[in-house]
Each structure stands twice: as C-alpha cells, then as structure tokens.
Amino acid sequence: MSVRFASILLVLFLSACSSNNQYETETTTKTEVKANTCDIQYTRYQATVTGYCQEIAASLPKNIPTIEKKIELRSITSIPEVFWYSSKMKYSLVKQDKKAPLVFVIAGTGASYSSSKMISLQKTLFQQGYHVISLSSPTFSNFIINLDSTTDFPGVLSQDAKNLYGVMQKVYQQVVNENNLETTTFSLTGYSLGGAHAAYISKLDEHEKIFNFEKVVLINPPVSLYNSATILDSYLDLRESGRDAASAMLDDIFSAFAQSYASQKSSAFSHSSIYALFKDAELSEEELELLIGASFRMSSSDMLFALDVSYNLGGFIYKNKNISKFESVTNAMHRSHIVTFGQYFEKVVVPWQQESNPDLTREDLIEQLGLKNIESYLRHSDKISLVTNADDIILAKGEVEYLQDVFGSRAKVFDRGGHCGNMDRKSFVEYMNSQFQGAK
C-alpha cells in the first residue's frame, strides 16, 4: 500500500468522524444535539486525529442554507488543461434571510472552503445570526490554479494576505450582485494557517480600510509557519526509516481498523462507530503521528503539483510541457510525495523571494513566516482575539506562552484539544459565541 493511498483512506475515515455534510444545501435549521462522548484514552495526537471526543459536542444546526459559488479570477483559457476540473475558484455563502453582519472564514493548510472544520465554523456563526463567506486556503490547489499571479508562492503570509484580500473583495461584490446580500458589519476568522492569514489580512485592512473589520478571531494559528511545518514534516520522516517502513506501519494501522470494523454489528459510519475503530486499534503515539504526517504530506504534495504546473517551475513536470486532461501524471505526483515543506522552502521559496530582494536572508524570510513579524500590531489591536489549546501539536516549546504574552486577556487557551480538535465542542462554540455578538 502506498503512503498516498493509505493517506486517502485516512482522510475518508476521518471525514466520517464529522456529521457535517460538505454538500448540504438544505434551508432548514433544525438543531442537532450531540451529547455523547467517547471513552478513547486522551492524547493530543488522538484529539487532533479524531477530534476532542471526550468533551460534549456543541448543539449546532443540522443543516444550513449553503450556496455553492464560483468566480472567474483569470481567463479559463490560461489555466493548464490538466486542471480542466478546476477552472473557477470555488467558495460558499451561508446567507441569513435578512440584513446581517458578515464573517469571512479562511481554511487551514491545504483545506477547502467546504472542509468539515469550515462547516463547523459556518454552523457556529450562522447560528449567531451572521452571513458567512468561506474561502479555501491559498495552499489549496483550486486557489492556486485560479489565482491570477505567477509570482506569489503560498506560505509567504504577507503575499497570501494580499491575494486573499483581493479575492474577498471580488467574491463580496459577486454575492451582493447575484444574491442580494445586505450586510451591517464585517468580521474575520480562520483556523490553523488561516488564523495566521486572518492576522495579516486584518493588518492590511487597517491601511486599505475596505472592510474595517469589527472583530477578528485567530483559531489555533502557528506562531512560526516554519516551526509548525517542520514539526508536521517530522511525523512522516521517510529518510530515517524509509518509505517501506512507513507503508508497513500504515498497513498495520489499517489492518487493525479492518478487524475492528468487521466485528461491528452495522456497516454504517457514525460518531460511535468511528470512535470504536480507534479505541479497538489501540494506536500508539508513533502511529498517530504517522497518520497526521501522512495527511499533511498529502496536502502539501497536492499544493506542490499545482504550483509546479501553474508556475512552470520544472520540478515534477518538464518546463513548458502542456499536459492534456487525459495524460497520466502519476509519476509526477509520486515525486511530489517525497518533498517536505523544508525542501520546498529551501529550494523554491527562498530563491524565488531572493530574486526580487537579493538582500533577503533565509533567516529574514523565516521571521516573515509567522506572527512575530507583526507582533506590535497584534499586541495593540483590541479587536483581535486568539483561541488555541495548550497541547496544540503544531506549537513549538514556548510558543503557547508567547501567544499568552502577546494577546494577554484577549487570549483563550484551552487545556486540551490538540490541533483544532475541539472546534465543534461545547466550550469552544461557547467561546466563539462570546466573541461574535454582532447580530445580538
């Protein structure tokens, strides 16, 4: 079993952990009460993988009136033929039936506007009386393919913020024209990398004053993108034990899942059945780290392939090669799977940035890929709040304390939850409700 195939299976398993339907368009708002918890032994890796199921889930609407949207940001004829399926940028609108405040939500690394965590945030904010526009991460392939730029690489936060800010203006104008959206105020949030993006966009808006955000909430952001990506890369270090060892461990994990699944009375996936799979499998921390690392590598390889083709880099595909929609890209994708974020940073991002700024050092660029670069703004902007977990796996030693120092009373740090594992839990949703009160 290849690492990529196992990773895809992992994503399918984990997506079933959420009751959110990514394609739900029903207009009913029946409240779904989920009081059950799991009895899996807690670790921060388990919470990151399965969610913080040891805490009671929040009561959120079962269905929300989601409108799937597309916008053309660049000429369709300029998009490489191999990306025929992604010829417009996709996003979503959740609309109240009256004039209301609007929140923009930005997804985390490699995630789309319709990921399960995004839908959980949509439900939370819609229930509070907000319109919600959800945008994919600049590291998501559909965003990369449709961005009208061949100079900005994902991960450089100031550039990502500029691109997101431009997209936000365009999609807002589209929903005003096409969906008759009426707004009172604007707010902003994002999780993981999207939380860091929200911080930079907020700072940019202070100068541009297009939205004049009323409230900005950063959810589980990295302090240093370089540190966080290095941590996640280390969970799938193929150099130390090799691809065969990683594949063998993934085979063992899914064999354990298969045995547990075969013993269940029903073949249907539910919260309880998924939790039972993980409980019976009794995965070690090393195995959970591998699952997390494999998922991160899958997201980054998709990003790298989209970049290589769209920007004509010549890394995985020959330069100036036009790939048809029917041409196999299997070999190129295999090559992208072994590239770490560190290698992408050293071999692509640093040289590319130094072309336009020869005096820029590697250390300078690392400093720019995080919140410390805008620390003064974050310390003194009362409208910005932060929520994270004390055991967040993407934070290096001392970074939780750094966030508490910078944000002071505007920081909320939960004891448990791993990385974004508690976003649909009762205490987290109550916190979000306390922050977003514009419709009350």
Side-chain angles (χ1 to χ4, degrees):
M1 180 186 294
S2 72
V3 173
R4 179 171 176 78
F5 180 64
S7 299
I8 292 173
L9 288 179
L10 168 67
V11 172
L12 293 177
F13 268 106
L14 297 188
S15 64
C17 290
S18 172
S19 63
N20 301 322
N21 185 335
Q22 294 185 17
Y23 305 101
E24 186 62 68
T25 56
E26 298 290 332
T27 58
T28 57
T29 56
K30 180 180 178 181
T31 298
E32 180 180 32
V33 180
K34 298 175 286 185
N36 293 332
T37 59
C38 68
D39 59 353
I40 303 173
Q41 182 178 357
Y42 178 86
T43 73
R44 61 183 187 147
Y45 302 106
Q46 166 268 315
T48 301
V49 173
T50 68
Y52 183 26
C53 54
Q54 292 84 355
E55 182 186 333
I56 294 174
S59 296
L60 295 172
K62 184 175 182 180
N63 303 310
I64 52 177
T66 304
I67 304 170
E68 300 288 333
K69 301 287 293 181
K70 295 181 180 180
I71 188 168
E72 184 176 329
L73 298 179
R74 59 183 288 191
S75 169
I76 293 176
T77 58
S78 70
I79 295 175
E81 186 181 352
V82 70
F83 298 131
W84 59 271
Y85 55 88
S86 191
S87 58
K88 292 184 179 181
M89 185 175 288
K90 301 174 183 178
Y91 67 101
S92 71
L93 167 67
V94 183
K95 182 186 176 187
Q96 300 287 337
D97 59 5
K98 58 185 179 181
K99 192 173 185 179
L102 167 67
V103 183
F104 288 97
V105 185
I106 304 169
T109 305
S112 80
Y113 70 95
S114 59
S115 68
S116 60
K117 288 183 175 62
M118 290 292 281
I119 293 177
S120 179
L121 288 172
Q122 291 166 17
K123 290 180 176 183
T124 297
L125 294 165
F126 179 78
Q127 186 169 253
Q128 280 292 95
Y130 286 80
H131 304 306
V132 185
I133 290 178
S134 298
L135 298 175
S136 299
S137 170
T139 60
F140 184 63
S141 59
N142 176 257
F143 193 104
I144 295 168
I145 293 163
N146 286 277
L147 186 65
D148 190 18
S149 171
T150 57
T151 59
D152 296 340
F153 278 87
V156 181
L157 295 175
S158 59
Q159 294 177 357
D160 287 350
K162 178 193 68 176
N163 291 325
L164 280 163
Y165 196 62
V167 170
M168 289 162 63
Q169 294 172 60
K170 291 175 180 177
V171 299
Y172 174 67
Q173 194 58 54
Q174 185 180 55
V175 296
V176 168
N177 294 337
E178 296 181 2
N179 303 99
N180 300 313
L181 191 74
E182 294 184 290
T183 60
T184 54
T185 60
F186 299 93
S187 292
L188 175 64
T189 190
Y191 72 89
S192 191
L193 179 58
H197 285 142
Y200 274 75
I201 292 168
S202 180
K203 185 175 186 297
L204 178 60
D205 188 62
E206 299 284 3
H207 175 72
E208 300 294 332
K209 299 188 182 302
I210 301 296
F211 297 110
N212 296 303
F213 296 115
E214 179 180 59
K215 186 65 184 177
V216 180
V217 177
L218 318 182
I219 302 169
N220 290 89
V223 171
S224 164
L225 179 57
Y226 184 85
N227 287 350
S228 296
T230 300
I231 290 170
L232 294 173
D233 267 342
S234 71
Y235 294 162
L236 188 66
D237 190 345
L238 301 180
R239 294 169 300 176
E240 182 175 333
S241 54
R243 293 177 63 88
D244 291 342
S247 294
M249 185 179 290
L250 284 167
D251 279 343
D252 290 342
I253 292 170
F254 282 97
S255 292
F257 283 157
Q259 291 176 14
S260 176
Y261 183 69
S263 67
Q264 293 187 10
K265 294 181 179 180
S266 171
S267 61
F269 281 116
S270 65
H271 280 282
S272 58
S273 65
I274 294 296
Y275 297 150
L277 289 178
F278 278 88
K279 181 181 179 182
D280 294 345
E282 297 182 335
L283 301 184
S284 66
E285 288 201 352
E286 183 183 16
E287 289 170 326
L288 288 168
E289 286 181 1
L290 180 64
L291 291 180
I292 295 167
S295 180
F296 176 68
R297 185 67 57 82
M298 183 175 72
S299 295
S300 62
S301 67
D302 287 344
M303 175 192 77
L304 292 174
F305 179 76
L307 277 172
D308 193 55
V309 177
S310 298
Y311 288 37
N312 193 28
L313 298 177
F316 311 119
I317 299 292
Y318 291 119
K319 270 200 168 190
N320 303 316
K321 177 176 174 56
N322 296 318
I323 311 172
S324 73
K325 68 172 67 175
F326 303 112
E327 189 171 347
S328 173
V329 295
T330 302
N331 290 335
M333 291 302 295
H334 282 170
R335 288 192 292 272
S336 71
H337 297 161
I338 63 174
V339 177
T340 67
F341 175 86
Q343 291 168 328
Y344 164 68
F345 176 78
E346 301 288 353
K347 296 182 179 181
V348 177
V349 177
V350 173
W352 193 274
Q353 293 296 305
Q354 287 177 336
E355 280 189 16
S356 58
N357 184 3
D359 295 329
L360 182 71
T361 67
R362 174 183 178 276
E363 290 68 29
D364 291 337
L365 187 54
I366 289 175
E367 188 74 13
Q368 293 177 16
L369 304 184
L371 299 184
K372 291 184 179 180
N373 191 45
I374 56 171
E375 178 182 318
S376 178
Y377 170 67
L378 297 176
R379 280 187 181 276
H380 300 102
S381 180
D382 291 337
K383 68 183 176 184
I384 301 181
S385 298
L386 168 127
V387 57
T388 191
N389 300 316
D391 61 355
D392 192 332
I393 65 169
I394 73 164
L395 297 179
K397 184 178 180 180
E399 289 185 339
V400 172
E401 292 76 14
Y402 170 80
L403 291 172
Q404 291 174 312
D405 176 62
V406 170
F407 289 91
S409 62
R410 293 175 287 119
K412 173 64 177 178
V413 180
F414 290 102
D415 292 335
R416 287 183 166 190
H419 184 59
C420 299
N422 55 339
M423 286 173 57
D424 65 346
R425 300 294 103 178
K426 185 173 183 291
S427 60
F428 178 88
V429 171
E430 287 176 347
Y431 169 79
M432 291 294 285
N433 291 346
S434 74
Q435 298 301 300
F436 289 100
Q437 298 183 342
K440 301 303 180 182

